[in-house]
Amino acid sequence: MAGSNDQFYAIWSAAKHRYADITGEDLDASSFPHPSSTEDLLRNLDVQNRDFKHFREKRETFFNVLEGMCKPIELVGNLAAGGAAMVFPPSTLCFGAAMHLIKAAHGVSASYDAIAELLESLKDFLVRLTVYNREDLPIELQEKLAEILGTLLEIFARSTKVIKSGSGGRVMQFAKNVLSGKDEKLPGLIAKLKNMTESEARLVSAETLTETRRSGRVVDNMSVTLTETNMAVQDGNVKIGQVTYGVHQMTVKQDEFRKEIRQEIGNVVAVLNESKSEAKSDKEKKHQDTAKAVLKPSVSPVDILVDITKKRVPGTGDWIRNEELFVSWVNQNNPVLWISGNPGSGKSYLSGNIISYLQEQHPQGVQDPSHTSIGYFFFKDSDPQTRSFHQALKDLAYQISQNDPVYAKHIDSHCQSPDDIKTIPSAWRKLFVDFFIKNEKVDSSVYLVVDGVDEAYEAERHLFLELLSDLKDIAAGDERGSRIHLVLVGRPQIVDDISEALETSVPTIHVDWRKNSADILHYVKNSIRKSRLLSRATKQLQEEIIETLARNANGMFIWVDLMMRELGRKTHASSIRASLHQAPKGLTEMLRHVLEGFSATLKEEDPEDLNTMLAWVTCACRALSLGELDTVLKLKSSEGDGVLYLEGKLRKQFASFFNLTREDGLSTADLQSDIRAKIVPDQDDVDAVDEEGLDDVDNETDFNSNLLTTDVLFCHASIGDFFRDEKQGKVSAGEGHPAVGVNIIEAKVSVLKTCLDLICDLSLSSKIEDSPSMQQYAVDYWHEHLQAAAGDLTKIKAPQKEQIGRLLAKMFRDETATKEWSSGKAWNFFTPEALKPLRQWLEDKDVLNVLSAEDQNWIKSTSQNPAETFVPAVKINAKEWLQGLYWLPNSCMTMIHVVTSLIRGELLETVPAILPLQAILDAAEWPQFEKNALWHRRLGMCLRDNEHYDEAMKHYEMASKMDDKMWLTPWGIARIYAQRHEIEKAIEQEKFVESIMQKLLEEQAMGKDTGTDEVGIAELSDCQEQLAKLYGELKCWAESLEYHRKAFTTWNRGYANVFKCLWILGREQEETDYEEIMGLIRSMEDNIPGTSYTRLTECLWENTWLSSDDSSSDFLMICAMAAKKTDQLAWLQGVYQVAINAAKKELKPLVAMSLETDLADLFWKYGGDQEKAARIWERVLRVTVTAGATDKWEIEYCQVMALKNYGPYCLQKALDAGKGTPEADRYIKKLERLCKQKASAAKDAAEIITTNRSAAFVGIWYRLNGESQKARAYFQPYIKEALMILSDDIVENDNIGYYDLAHVLLAAGDDVNALAALQVMRAEPSMVEVIGESPQAIGGEDSGQTTDEGTKEGVEAEEKPSTKAKEVIEAQQKTIVDSNDAVANKAVSNAQEASPEEETSTWYCDGPCGKGFPTYSYGNACRYCLVDFCKDCLKLLKEGATSEVHVCNPRHGWLHAPPMKSGIDLSKDEILVGDVVMGLGEFKDALRKEWQV
């Protein structure tokens, strides 16, 4: 085809030259209009001419004619070009010429009439063009089409010249067959065009005949038919053309889509680039940060839901979806629905089904155009946090904020601190009523699923139910109905409370055997199939098990679960039948039956061990870790030894009661099978996964979970209810068998006594040196256990009361014990409510009689003013504050202030963050200590922390006068200078302290008595690090680097100083010394004594995505760049792999996971090995989170890091394989499943993702393969979201909305509106214009080429993404190699910490400099990556001199925003759209209409 391409190029070039000669306009100039499609032409014309009255009057007729004429041009223009290399396709230049012609009319009515008649005439000829469904046009047709397009271009040129001469309206007339005017060549050109189109039709017919003969379909009398066809073509004129056009409409659409692929394939690159999401989200992150800080969400709801979803048998609970009341609730006909069921009936699994169904109907954060949020909470009485309605409201609000950005902004603007929602009424009002009920400006709504309501604190539940009257009132008074739709799930006993609160009966669905019997039957069958033993039973026995359990279950899922576990341990059919037919019907009987079985079978220490664990898990105030439970067993043992392999016993022998949850979310089944449930499984994998039933746990597995991070809970709350029931007690199998279970009164006393023993007898810790300490638990919760036991004080036997009484007296009378429990106790503990159970116990007559006389006198002396009971604790805190060295002065002082106020009869409900000066001085005077140097220094510390700097300085100076050897005094003075921002003074003082410390360390090393407090290397390192920070504030980077090095040399495991050194070396120096960076990194390769890993490994552990700040990405980038520049990248990759393995060995699964995401970056971003990276991403995405997993957010953050790269990877794989191939389908299905996942930010993530990025990749795939409507649907929610943000009453973050809107519109091909939105971001309004390549030129000079691979596996060539599409994706993911070290240095050094000026930036350059800018003047937006470059970085990119990591493709086209042209002055409510000034409201309304949002 090379010859044909050259011929076409020659004809077309001549036509362009003729146009330039006639009009004086260069078609290829960047200033000349280049509409990319018919729609683009019409949109630009609308903007360009809307101010002209005559244009508006004739607009509809005009556009109909234009569309009819331009469609054939659009369809054949690019096909005709074939492989010819050109900047702009022929169709684009023809459209531009037409646009230039119309613009010449400049509002003159007659000119518009003349142009319309001309275009009508041209349409009649052009409509004859036959559209080919292939791209390899014959040479003859290519040349004919080139001549047609060239003639059309000349007609436009001469017509433009005539119109501009002013005679178009007065002299010239265009008609279909008659033309008169100044340009005599026009009639001939039109006639020539007519003849050429007829000639083209004959060529088409001839080509059709040739193809027909070639394929063997020869018919008789073909010559006659051909002759008739040719005659018909010649004589039919318009009619034949119209028929041809109509017949080929479907083909036209296909070619239209194919042309879109060639024109806008760069959008593939656009969505792959993630960097802008971080840059543009600074203010959006503020909303999320505020929501997180104010709401303080817990991880419990998602933990529990993930666990339920993982265990639930597919289809379980689907019956609820057909319930009439449920359907009515979903359709928003009633605001509240109550679902009631007995304990263990599967209510939580039903709630999981409801949540899943709602999320299917209203996808969260994905491609759902409505802002309908789903919130859920599961009350569990195993943890105070999961019993709190206040916490539930905050968690529900946080989930909504992650889905609805308008709601997140509402929280940011209405809730400044947690105090704004500190009560349940205030939380309900501010978080729900004010937004969903009172705010009529938003259309957001929410479904709330609240499970286990009966397990919430009773008082809080009653209070919340009273507030539900708001829903009843709004439902009755608002035509729209309630926008809050609440379903409550719980046990039957609280239905009256709900009805009473709403003052009406509540629609209720009862969960009983009639509803869930099919679910139970399904569960039993699957459990048998999965059981190692029962699956081998005879068919008859299996049917007997199924029939018996189904008949006796009575709707109790937990009963079936416990029974299946018991049957699964039997190895003989006879014992299975015996157990089966002895099964009780109810939960209580079932649990007693299980306990009786344990009584009959457990030997030696096992019964007592089980009883101890049951008692502690029943009474514990929070979930106990596996290590803590092991410690409890050791404390109970006289020898101090625990249970060997406790985890195995809990996961196997006692699995009927206990469930273990790990930080990484792996269940017992996961650990046994070593297969982690996938988040993004292949369809083949999905088909192969068995439905969930009872997991057989008898297989031998060496469990090795982390003792500190694995929690032990009951399998179901009903089990805890059973054991807390005083009527149940312990169960025995008969005489000679131990009693097994929980006597709740004895258990409460036993747990309390253990806590008090740990506080009063510190020697107990020596028994458990190799186990996690229970000391902190005892200190934190002894009072809660005291309160629980005091409620049953009259039922406790005297000896037990006496034991507790003695311990309580010792806690307040023995200084060591008092110091133990009062250390760090929060000030709000010291209240009259806290005194009640304490005084109740101490004043009990049985207790008083056995106490010593001194203790009795103390109790009696404090009876008149019980607040004086706290005085011993206050004295300890006063002593540690003013005479000690280690307790925090401010905490001690606050306790003194609160308790002394309480003694005076003043109950302080709040304490200000900064206490008044006199309150602090009064607290210091209260203990009446000697005012020595230490007293003054410790008081000075407290004053300094409360910002009373002048008074603090006085006390420091007094301390210095009294003891000039106290080195901590000048150090405190240095900190005052630093806090007052007197940096030079602070540096001078810190250096003075450094010299003192160095001298003292030397004297200490020689064994000299220094006469002052001992100093350690940690203190010296801290001093040197402070000096480094102070120099950093002054931007004295050389000195800062020097002191960070000193600090690290002093304490070589202070890795914060390592990072700071790397930061300064990599970013704050004129030239980056990569060798020096690598030298610092490799200096840590030595092993840490007593461990199996190096300091470098430990350093990497502390610099991951899980770091408490945002430094981890900078750490990785600096290290990676240095390793790459010094050819040590492979070594660095190996170091990370070693650190990952070491983390796993040390039972740090989250650290290992986060390091894996870093390693993936090293492989892909810096090493170019995407396949290795993909294996890591898949491994990270396979991890699931079970209920109770304490680090759920950290897991999700790692998965976000993997997901943003795994999405483009899947798309690339699909493009490589081609449409219609099994491999492409497999990868696209992965993306579609990813679309259903909510990508939420974790912890301190830089952004909150409100729409899942993977959805954009799916949309691109559809767009590339001709399904434009589907592709459009994926952009629609983004546009709606941006418009909603721009339409609320909070204007401070409108730049985010305009930025998002501009870039989505740019991705969608709407240049005019995208440029207008960018313009609004600027402080100075500006004219935005297009420079560089057109949308078709994404591949530079080769952009006109199309694939000529023919077909593949029976798929038409045009049905596959073009080769150019694949090249763009490859360019997006390829590393741009940089041979310019100076530029690379600049890339590293310019990304500095945000300066005050940068805080007002509206956008940030994605190029090497990383700078922020207040307006978009001179900004450049890539059409395909959607990244933003400043002019300097864009120049570097086009020169191929960017940094050695992927940024963008230098061949892409860009939008450029120069300063505003003189004479244009926009108000704050106006926007410049093209050349037209309009109101912002009008602009947004037009977009809503266009995008139907």
Side-chain angles (χ1 to χ4, degrees), residues 1132-1153:
L1132 186 62
Q1133 292 166 348
V1135 165
Y1136 268 84
Q1137 187 61 66
V1138 168
I1140 291 167
N1141 294 337
K1144 292 177 179 178
K1145 183 178 179 181
E1146 295 294 320
L1147 302 180
K1148 299 176 181 290
L1150 282 177
V1151 172
M1153 185 187 299

Side-chain angles (χ1 to χ4, degrees), residues 270-274 276-278 280 365 367 1203-1204 1207 1231 1235 1237 1239 1247 1249 1251-1258 1278 1300 1426:
V271 298
L272 296 180
N273 189 282
E274 290 292 340
K276 180 44 58 186
S277 65
E278 295 178 2
K280 60 96 174 175
Q367 300 302 330
L1203 177 61
K1204 74 174 186 179
L1231 284 178
C1235 289
Q1237 303 295 326
E1247 66 173 339
I1249 305 174
T1251 35
N1252 193 307
R1253 282 282 179 176
S1254 58
F1257 302 126
V1258 180
Y1278 290 83
D1300 290 344
L1426 300 186

Side-chain angles (χ1 to χ4, degrees), residues 579-706:
S579 298
L580 183 64
H581 293 290
Q582 294 172 3
K585 292 184 178 180
L587 174 63
T588 298
E589 291 79 4
M590 181 68 244
L591 290 173
R592 293 185 67 85
H593 180 70
V594 173
L595 290 171
E596 186 177 334
F598 280 126
S599 174
T601 58
L602 294 179
K603 306 297 181 184
E604 299 178 346
E605 302 92 347
D606 282 353
E608 188 58 33
D609 288 340
L610 176 59
N611 286 343
T612 300
M613 291 189 291
L614 290 174
W616 272 86
V617 176
T618 298
C619 297
C621 297
R622 61 162 171 78
L624 296 175
S625 71
L626 182 60
E628 287 175 330
L629 201 56
D630 181 55
T631 298
V632 167
L633 292 173
K634 290 179 179 179
L635 289 170
K636 285 292 181 182
S637 168
S638 58
E639 291 79 15
D641 57 349
V643 177
L644 294 177
Y645 196 30
L646 177 61
E647 182 177 4
K649 190 176 285 288
L650 290 169
R651 290 190 182 274
K652 295 181 179 181
Q653 187 175 11
F654 299 143
S656 297
F657 293 125
F658 300 110
N659 183 41
L660 275 65
T661 58
R662 293 163 43 117
E663 62 177 334
D664 57 7
L666 299 184
S667 67
T668 300
D670 294 331
L671 297 172
Q672 286 179 320
S673 61
D674 197 31
I675 298 175
R676 300 177 179 184
K678 294 183 179 180
I679 284 181
V680 195
D682 293 338
Q683 188 60 48
D684 295 339
D685 297 332
V686 173
D687 295 338
V689 172
D690 288 339
E691 294 178 337
E692 286 289 345
L694 171 65
D695 293 312
D696 188 358
V697 296
D698 286 328
N699 298 317
E700 287 299 326
T701 303
D702 185 16
F703 302 111
N704 188 28
S705 300
N706 191 318

Side-chain angles (χ1 to χ4, degrees), residues 16-84:
K16 290 196 292 183
H17 286 306
R18 285 197 300 275
Y19 186 92
D21 292 338
I22 295 169
T23 65
E25 296 284 347
D26 182 3
L27 288 168
D28 287 331
S30 61
S31 60
F32 196 84
H34 299 119
S36 60
S37 64
T38 302
E39 289 76 13
D40 197 8
L41 170 63
L42 298 179
R43 183 166 53 246
N44 279 278
L45 284 173
D46 213 11
V47 172
Q48 184 185 82
N49 296 278
R50 66 177 58 179
D51 284 348
F52 298 133
K53 173 183 176 183
H54 296 301
F55 177 83
R56 293 196 301 270
E57 292 174 347
K58 306 176 188 300
R59 180 185 181 281
E60 184 173 355
T61 302
F62 210 67
F63 275 28
N64 287 339
V65 174
L66 264 179
E67 188 170 11
M69 182 201 76
C70 292
K71 278 295 182 182
I73 298 174
E74 183 177 356
L75 295 171
V76 304
N78 293 350
L79 291 178

